[in-house]
Amino acid sequence: MSNFSWNAPIVPGMTLAGIKLGSDLEDFKALIKVYCVDFVSGLYKFPEAPLFLLAVNEQQDRIYFKFTVADVALTGWYSQFPESKLVSSETRALVVGFLDKKVSSVSVWMFDYFDVLGDKKLTYSYQGCLADGTRLGSRMDVAASFYDLVYDEAEEWFYEKSGGVILGGGGGDLEDFEDQEVAMIMVI
């Protein structure tokens, strides 16, 4: 993660956000300390990215570092529902998974504001893209023209047959929901 960037290219099976698969857990922990702006609150600020809250989940031999957007106003939830105390917008931004103390997956999520008219403001979510230009907010059917995607009904995402990348969309197969957008990208 020494070259962390909020707009770094995505390379299936290798890297996302400059975080390389196979990187060591202790090296990752040491490096993210540099980006910590409030240790007590768990707030982190990466270059060119908004402020994030960090939650670490451990499950047997797996550890997940889940960075969520700290300012929920960036999701537009309170703009659309100003009286609501509940935030039902996506707040995940970056999740780094470890298996046996090595990076096993890196995923980014689209959390940006969608105004009342549905206009997209994709300025805060991850800005990097795959070699063909696929990024968060891209149409899934266009991505499918570059990749041999298979829809996994149980997980509700698309994985590339040759491996290395998973794309999450609008909750259904392209035959049923052809206008869905890429809302999550994961390298494995």
Side-chain angles (χ1 to χ4, degrees):
M1 189 171 146
S2 58
N3 295 321
F4 181 85
S5 171
W6 202 235
N7 58 16
I10 302 165
V11 181
M14 295 186 70
T15 185
L16 192 154
I19 303 168
K20 295 180 181 177
L21 295 177
S23 297
D24 183 70
L25 174 64
E26 294 307 316
D27 292 343
F28 178 80
K29 285 180 178 180
L31 191 57
I32 65 170
K33 282 182 182 178
V34 172
Y35 300 107
C36 185
V37 295
D38 184 341
F39 184 75
V40 173
S41 299
L43 291 171
Y44 288 76
K45 178 71 173 97
F46 299 115
E48 302 177 44
L51 193 62
F52 295 133
L53 289 166
L54 171 62
V56 180
N57 300 342
E58 296 188 38
Q59 306 166 351
Q60 296 177 346
D61 59 346
R62 294 189 180 271
I63 301 172
Y64 296 94
F65 286 74
K66 179 180 168 186
F67 295 91
T68 59
V69 63
D71 181 0
V72 293
L74 298 180
T75 70
W77 182 258
Y78 291 134
S79 298
Q80 295 176 37
F81 307 100
E83 304 302 316
S84 177
K85 302 293 183 223
L86 174 69
V87 178
S88 291
S89 293
E90 181 62 67
T91 59
R92 286 177 290 188
L94 171 69
V95 178
V96 182
F98 288 82
L99 175 63
D100 297 327
K101 299 184 180 183
K102 300 288 183 188
V103 175
S104 60
S105 65
V106 182
S107 56
V108 289
W109 300 79
M110 184 171 63
F111 61 81
D112 275 296
Y113 173 75
F114 286 79
D115 71 16
V116 177
L117 300 174
D119 292 333
K120 288 182 247 176
K121 313 285 188 205
L122 295 174
T123 54
Y124 302 109
S125 293
Y126 186 72
Q127 299 295 306
C129 62
L130 290 154
D132 65 87
T134 299
R135 64 179 60 239
L136 293 173
S138 293
R139 286 186 51 112
M140 189 68 75
D141 57 348
V142 174
S145 68
F146 293 100
Y147 301 97
D148 192 5
L149 298 178
V150 176
Y151 182 67
D152 183 325
E153 253 182 71
E155 297 290 346
E156 295 185 340
W157 59 29
F158 296 85
Y159 63 90
E160 216 284 321
K161 271 189 178 177
S162 63
V165 70
I166 295 173
L167 305 174
D173 198 324
L174 281 173
E175 293 174 9
D176 299 324
F177 302 98
E178 63 185 40
D179 63 346
Q180 61 187 292
E181 296 177 337
V182 176
M184 182 273 298
I185 301 173
M186 178 188 302
V187 294
I188 52 172

